[in-house]
Every structure is written in C-alpha cells, then in structure tokens.
Amino acid sequence: MASIKVNGTETEVPDPSRNLLSFLRYDLGLTGTKYGCGEGLCGACTVLVDGRPLKACMTTAGAVAGGSVTTIEGLASDGRLHPVQQAFVEESAMQCGYCIPGFIMSAVGLLNRDRSPSREQIREALAENMCRCGTYQRIQRAVERAAATISRGVK
C-alpha cells in the first residue's frame, strides 16, 4: 500500500487514485487546505510536497506517494506560528481568510527556495493564487515581513 508523510506523520493511502485534496480534507480531516476552483487556477488548495508548492486539486494521493506533504496545519510548531503565518497576522493580510492558507503555503515554498526574494519574485510566486477580497498589498507586505524575519534566523 502506498504511503505519504503528512505533516510529519506517515500515512497510508488506501486509494492512490483519490484526489490529493479530497484525501487531505475528507480522509484526514485537514480542512485548512481549501477547495476553490477545482482546476488549479486559484491556489486555495496549495500544499507543499517535499517543500515545493503543489495544487492539491490537480493531483492524486498516489502521485505524491513516498513524498512529504505539508499542509497549513503542519506549519506551526511548539505552539508558535510559522514566521509566514505570524507575518500574515501582523499585516492583517486577510479579510475572509478563505484563500490565505494557499497564499501562505505558496509563500513558504518561495522562502524555502529564496530567503530574500525581490518584490517581483514574490509577485511571481503568488501569481497563481487569487484573493477575491483583494488584500494583495497586505499579502505582499506580509511575505516581505516574513522574509525579513526568516533572514534574521528566526524560525
């Protein structure tokens, strides 16, 4: 039977053909990963697979077998928010909040690759995420804040 590590816990995948988003939300109860468009266009379902952003609605659980999946629930540790989560709170970078887990996961993926991205790199990394509330400027500031925090070595 296939297995994947989800937020640090090895998990068996009974049906490898099951959509990864459905597996996370309905089988594991990790509802922080949102269903948005179902076509990979809005980014609400973004998770990290081996540290890289992936649209969970566009792949199967079997396609990531043997990998490590991180959802929004898996970012905080030791009772502390991840620096990107903390920056989103401090910048009030959310309104309804529905899209925010996807933005945060995309931002974490970016900062995993580049701890000091330029403004343009941030915009490019988040270009596949949509916010219907239009908080893009606050989201941009939050990612810049998180990058500064991470660059100082704060985890």
Side-chain angles (χ1 to χ4, degrees):
M1 181 177 291
S3 69
I4 55 178
K5 190 176 282 188
V6 179
N7 297 332
T9 301
E10 199 70 32
T11 305
E12 290 188 358
V13 179
D15 179 4
S17 66
R18 184 142 167 86
N19 176 278
L20 179 59
L21 176 61
S22 295
F23 177 70
L24 295 170
R25 286 185 58 83
Y26 304 114
D27 297 357
L28 301 182
L30 299 171
T31 57
T33 305
K34 304 298 186 197
Y35 178 85
C37 65
E39 298 177 359
L41 300 174
C42 73
C45 65
T46 303
V47 297
L48 298 179
V49 176
D50 297 327
R52 307 185 124 221
L54 181 76
K55 307 293 187 295
C57 73
M58 298 301 295
T59 192
T60 64
V64 298
S68 179
V69 175
T70 305
T71 68
I72 191 76
E73 291 92 343
L75 285 183
S77 64
D78 299 326
R80 296 183 59 181
L81 294 176
H82 184 280
V84 174
Q85 292 173 306
Q86 187 63 42
F88 270 68
V89 170
E90 291 170 357
E91 291 292 341
S92 298
M94 60 199 80
Q95 193 161 326
C96 80
Y98 194 84
C99 64
I100 295 305
F103 271 101
I104 288 175
M105 300 311 289
S106 292
V108 171
L110 168 66
L111 298 176
N112 283 345
R113 296 187 312 272
D114 185 348
R115 291 180 177 254
S116 299
S118 68
R119 182 167 271 247
E120 291 73 28
Q121 288 171 311
I122 293 170
R123 286 182 182 214
E124 183 179 334
L126 302 179
E128 295 183 13
N129 292 76
M130 295 177 62
C131 173
R132 293 189 311 178
C133 302
T135 62
Y136 292 107
Q137 291 180 346
R138 289 183 278 168
I139 290 169
Q140 173 90 29
R141 286 195 307 265
V143 177
E144 291 169 345
R145 179 187 284 250
T149 300
I150 290 171
S151 292
R152 290 193 311 266
V154 177
K155 294 183 179 183

